[in-house]
Amino acid sequence: KTYSQSVTLKASHISLYEVFNNISRQTGYEFVYDAQLVKRTAPVNIDVKQATIADVLKNCLSGNPTLTYTIVDKTIVISARALPKASHGAPAATITGKVVDAQGAALIGVAVQVKGTTRGILTNDQGEFSIQANAGDILVFSYLGYDAQSVTVGEATSLTITLQQSNKQLDAVVVTALGVKRTEKSITYATQQVGGEELTKAKDANLINTLNGKVAGLSISTSSSGVGGSAKVILRGSKSGLGSNQALYVIDGVPMNNTVTNQPSSIYGGSNSYDGGDPISNLNPDDIESVSFLKGASAAALYGSQGANGVIIITTKSGRSGKTAVNLSSGFMLSSVAMKPKFQNEYGAVGTNSQSWGDKFSGGGHDNLDDFFRTGYNWTNSISLSGGNEKMQTYFSYANTSANSIEPTNKLGRNNINFKETGHFLNDKLTAIADVNYVTQEIDNTPLAGNYFNPLTGLYLFPRGGNLKQYKDQFELPDPSRNYLNVQNWPFDEDIQQNPWWILHRNTNSLTRNRFLGNASLKYDVSSWLNITARGSIDRVADKYEQKIYAGTLKVLAPSTGVYNMNDQTSTQQYGDLLANFNVPISKDFKLTGVLGASLLDTKIDGYKLGSTGADSLRYPNIFTVQNMTAIDPSSSGNLPENHVQTQSVFASANLSFKDWLFLDLTGRQDWSSALAYTQNNHYFYPSAGLNVILSQLLKLPQAITFGKVRGSYAVVGNAPLAYQSHAAENTLTSGGIRVNTSAPFDNLKPEKTKSLEVGTEWRFFDSRLDVDVTYYKTNTTNQTMQISASQASFYDNYFINAGNIQNQGIEATVKFDVIRSKAFSWNTAFNFSTNNNKIISLSPQVDRFTISGASGANYASYFKKGGSYGDIYGVGLAKDAQGRIQFDTSGTPQLTSGDMIKIGNSNTKWQLGWNNNLSFKNFNLSFLIDGKFGGDVLSITQSLMDSYGVTPATASARDAGGVKVNGVNIVTGEAVTMANAQKWYSTIGGRQGASSQYMYSATTVRLREAAFGYTVPIEHSFVKALKVAATGRNLLYFYKKAPFDPEMTMSTGNGLSGIDVFMLPSTRSYGLSVNATF
Amino acid sequence: CTKNFERYNSDNTGLTDDQLSGDFNNLSYLKSAQRSIYNFSGGGDPNSYQVQQNLNADCFSGYFMSPTVFNGGQNNLNYFMVTGWNGEAFKVGYLNVMAQVAKLRSTGLETNFPAIWAIAQITQVEAMSRVTDIYGPIPYSKAGQSKTDIAYDSQEEIYKRFFLELDSASNNLRSFIASGQKIPVDSTKYDAVYGGNLTQWLHFANSLRLRLAIHILYADAAMAKEQGQKALDPANGGVITTNSDNFQLLTSDAGLTNPLVFISQNWGDIRINAAIQSYMTGYKDPRISRYMNTSTDATVGAVYKGIRIGGVTASNQKSDYQGYSQLSTSTFNINAPVVLMTAAEVYFLRAEAALNGWSNTGGDAKTLYETGITTSMLQWNASSGAYLTDNTSVPAAYTDPKNSANNLPSPSTITIQWNDAASTEEKQERIITQKWIAMFPEGQEAWTEFRRTRYPRLFPVKNNLSGGLINTDIQIRRLPYPQQEYNTNGAQLQNGISLLGGADNGGTRLWWDKKP
């Protein structure tokens, strides 16, 4: 290796970090410095040709009174400059004081100098200083990254100085694939970074929900499964019909186990479709330093198939050398129902009928919902400790979350422990990091969406005018015929409803999760241009689910002695990789950096499931033990399929830069996947390329333009199929005996392929006060693995094909603007905008549709067909004649379309806009986020059923008006029909088999999603270093919403049931207080 | 290193064909096929059977009616055909029966154990004849030969194929029985009906041939006669004559239950139909207490009371009719065997054959008719008393104590005692009416015979929500094809519909549905 002493560098507004990087690249010298020291430095302008290292360092450190350097061998050590102590001159007074930042936090190491003298000192760990000065002397306070301040010494001998952060933006460093850090400007694809504070401003039991509306191109749908439920997180639109569309999470460079728990697959929901929360929801938001989003396939090309849907990279906090910092944070949020369905209060039921199609009653009715819903809360408390020395740094945290849902008995308790240790060995050439997380979580009574086991069906459909209170007070009654065993007290015997409180207390479920997540890495600096990193992680999620259905439950749902279901499932992901990072200056102008590596990812789910079904499932009622099961049904019990998938990969990336204004990225990766075993080819290769031009460095741009960049990239990413698709079991065991598998084997299976093209440009104006980033992307996903229904006469129920071309294209834009940045008052605002247009370009010559969801006994299905798009909702409409008149039979019943279902809408948002604001005035800080999702339609089966039961206001006003005005025709007589009987009309168009087309609503919603008002308590000379209190709120206000439920909520985070509401738990509005203290 | 990939990508809960072949366990495909004819192979949850047969044929045949307000009171039971229900019989026929039989064949059964192969063929004919009798033309000769584009056969072709398959099966059985050999495999591995008794299988094969021959009497009288006489020819081994030969499936294996009983007792989703109650009450039939309980509804009183088909509407709730007569809890326990063909039915088939002048009926119509009744009485452990000579009792009028709009006069004047002087038509009504009573609770065959002969005279549906597609008096003739066929096999399905010769709805008659 050769070392060069000459450096050529021309850049304006470049960070010290980058300068060091450049020097290192050009010379082979290595830098050693405390990242914290350099982090707050202001950018510099530099223009040197063939200069020595010393010159360059002098040049760029000259403005920094606190940094100095020494060169030892081939290592440049950047350290804090020791200022000379005051020595002679014997000034009159001792001035003491404290230097803080705008938020009131103490600033450590601020240089305090008496102007014109050599007297100076650095502030201590508490930000305090003490210096000898005469009245009239000028004290200069300077600190990297902050505007210097001068104070003339007057009579006061104690000063508090507030330094304002310098407004010059630093050139950010972005964490990219495999944990490689790169400067933002060299990146050839769109990224967006969010600081950890955005996760903790107004906490949610699932941290990912707090990012909703903050990132362009990110769509988050919250599950309706109560506290701790999972979320559907999609970057740039859904691409795969059968595979996952959810983004990949990467924690500190290692992919996270993101096994999704059970989700309902039909409108009935049912006992086993519980949602136990996705793995991301288990994390403690206080442990997270920052989150960055690599939205496109290019960004993710190095992650391989897992990254085809984009990547969310999470960087966790580490210990810091220096004085131990203790942080306590506590937040308490209350939540209430944001919107309730509307009811009529005029007409009751006839006799003991369950439907409200009877006579008018007097007395105005009763709000049964008030007797049911409660105020929920989410209380989180966390403590973190950070400290260490230059060789070892430690981070420890513990967090406790306790949450109650608005649905009684649904609650969550979670404990997170995190311990992270960083050590430097062998002259700092070897760095070892170990990070251990343990999470315990218990969720009780996850609401089961859908028609079955859902308390909301009975609650909403109960005859109007009736008071449910009696069924709340006595949800069970002793049954003399069963020797006074308590059984359900409910007047109706209908499969979709039970006593709501019976469900809460006697159809209970609980999910206990124990999760271990451990990461370890070793990095060895072989030379200044090469380091080798080895990493390993294990992420083990052990879930135990229990459901206890008591005797006295509706007979169609459970036998007379009750049902006990349990499921013990462990999902283990092991990851290991070996990387060589290199950094080679090829010539003066060309630099090459890159990675060579290999990885192994092994994911396995196993466990067992026990369920009692059949005539007499439990021997003795209400004894929920395995011993008490009379028969275990082998078709639904026993060990779970192992679902074992292993991917082995080799990959390489090269990043070539020319004169720091042209960057070329090339990556290639080859995957071998076990899911492709039994096919002709078990491996696949995919490349990506990107190009980047920094216009502001290449051209002489007007003064107002601080930075300009255009970028473009193209990538192909493969996506391996799911386990067993290529090799379905030949036979299965059921209680009836051996059964031939009805899914055809797929031995010519190929991996899905996503081709992605994106171009973007990024501009900063007026000293980076205005920042604009625009991206256009287009992805085409082909070779889709589709499970196609077969004609059952083929002896298969379904088979797989590779086909189709699903295209997503859209535009993403972010605009950030510092509207006001004065010392006392600042306001910065940011917009993020995105559109996504999904189109099925082609499907398959063999089939005309692919079914995502749809079940028997439903008036809803989700298909995609050629020319349609992902998320199309199909349903039943009203039969009309050629003139568009609704057809009625002679009894006055409207006729519905028969045969194939018709398209009635699409659930996808067409475009979304988020507007995030931060205002601060002195010690006060206000932030709020308004976001809108525009376009798309959603279907409410809830309204459809409520209409058919006659409980909605529409059914009452129709009865008041003597019927429903229609433009109809009698199909027998041909006579016009102008008025339809209200009951006939709503019983037919509503209900489970009604005209779903009549229950489509616009999904457009504009809301005040998040607001926080904080105050930083000014603190002096206390063991408390900082204290901040804030009032926060989430989902506070809907500015626009037409649907009867929150269209953002989803029954399932899977691919199906998108935009379908079947008695989902209502969305909530929450507000509360948070306190954050640092010691 | 990818050497473990195949192991990782193998479902540990499944079984390979190899793993199954030991101990002849792969023969158990036959058992699961048998258990799917009337599907109870799904274990404890009889939902498949409920839509395969119970909410269709069992009710259309006049045996049962549901008190449950399915789909808001709009469902098959008032001719509002529920798409999600109509495909189950089709699905079970192919996936649970034919696919298993095809798998058996692929094990080399045809050459290794021709006698067991014969049982498999008979099982398939028994199962698939029920499927074609529901829909009409279905894929049969080309079934299982490709993943897509599977041709439909006309019902006539399918019946011809059934007869050929029965020929092959009977020949195999006869020659194996004649050889005096024994099958060296424990019969509990493969036979849930006759425990490997091949003579009983031969009797059933001939009885099934007779049943199918009678089905096509009005469509192809010559073929009906040819096949009927072949079935009855003593040289071919004979038909079922005693109750010990009844075709019944045992539900005694772990986890299996009689799905009809389950639906009745556990779900309360099925009750006795007004028709069977009205006939049996009118006839003072001694079997009535074996068939049904008296009502537990206080409004009705402790009498036998069925529900009129279509009489449960949107304005009802389940409890309104749940207290009406249910399937007898003393005769039927949760593990009661599923009986699909009885000796009594065969006597009535022979009686009709005699009425048509076929040879080898082994008696005249009167004798066979009366033996049919007495055999049935024996089967139900009831005493005939003066039943055979009752020439005055007629079916009772029906009254619904909860809704007089459901009331109807007696559906028929037919009496019990045989009358040689009666017209052929009246004789047929008498035979079919008694056959119908005897076949309870097997609604699939009863519905087929009702459609073929229009007997017994059943109460018309109370509310007809078919939108004019199904005639209330003629009653429902078939089920529409499954939605999945439209989605996956559309072009061939259209051929099937043209073979059907009418629109794909419940009002179109099948090929054999041609009674003048």
Side-chain angles (χ1 to χ4, degrees), chain A residues 190-256:
Chain A
T191 61
Q192 194 173 336
Q193 212 154 2
V194 174
E197 69 279 2
E198 291 291 341
L199 301 168
T200 52
K201 226 185 246 173
K203 281 181 188 166
D204 189 278
N206 185 346
L207 68 93
I208 199 73
N209 288 334
T210 56
L211 290 172
N212 212 338
K214 292 177 183 169
V215 178
L218 173 71
S219 148
I220 295 175
S221 310
T222 313
S223 129
S224 63
S225 51
V227 286
S230 45
K232 184 170 175 177
V233 179
I234 307 283
L235 283 163
R236 291 185 176 170
S238 291
K239 301 171 187 74
S240 178
L242 202 57
S244 167
N245 285 298
Q246 303 240 30
L248 169 71
Y249 294 96
V250 171
I251 302 178
D252 295 332
V254 172
M256 185 186 81

Side-chain angles (χ1 to χ4, degrees), chain A residues 28 222 699 765 789 900:
Chain A
T222 313
L699 308 166
F765 303 93
S789 284
D900 213 358

Side-chain angles (χ1 to χ4, degrees), chain A residues 747-793:
Chain A
D747 46 19
N748 53 356
L749 176 67
K750 292 189 289 263
E752 283 181 13
K753 201 180 244 188
T754 298
K755 291 178 189 163
S756 140
L757 173 74
E758 71 167 73
V759 289
T761 185
E762 189 186 341
W763 295 87
R764 286 181 225 139
F765 303 93
F766 317 120
D767 244 6
S768 298
R769 262 181 92 164
L770 176 65
D771 182 321
V772 180
D773 190 332
V774 182
T775 308
Y776 163 81
Y777 65 88
K778 186 173 106 155
T779 63
N780 288 79
T781 305
T782 54
N783 270 351
Q784 288 258 337
T785 307
M786 294 189 219
Q787 191 168 24
I788 299 293
S789 284
S791 165
Q792 286 145 345

Side-chain angles (χ1 to χ4, degrees), chain A residues 352-353 642 648 731 791 793 993, chain B residues 1 29 71 144 315 317 485:
Chain A
T352 57
N353 196 289
E642 274 175 359
Q648 301 173 7
N731 305 284
S791 165
Q993 297 278 337
Chain B
C1 171
Y29 292 124
N71 190 32
S315 53
Q317 54 177 316
E485 280 294 286

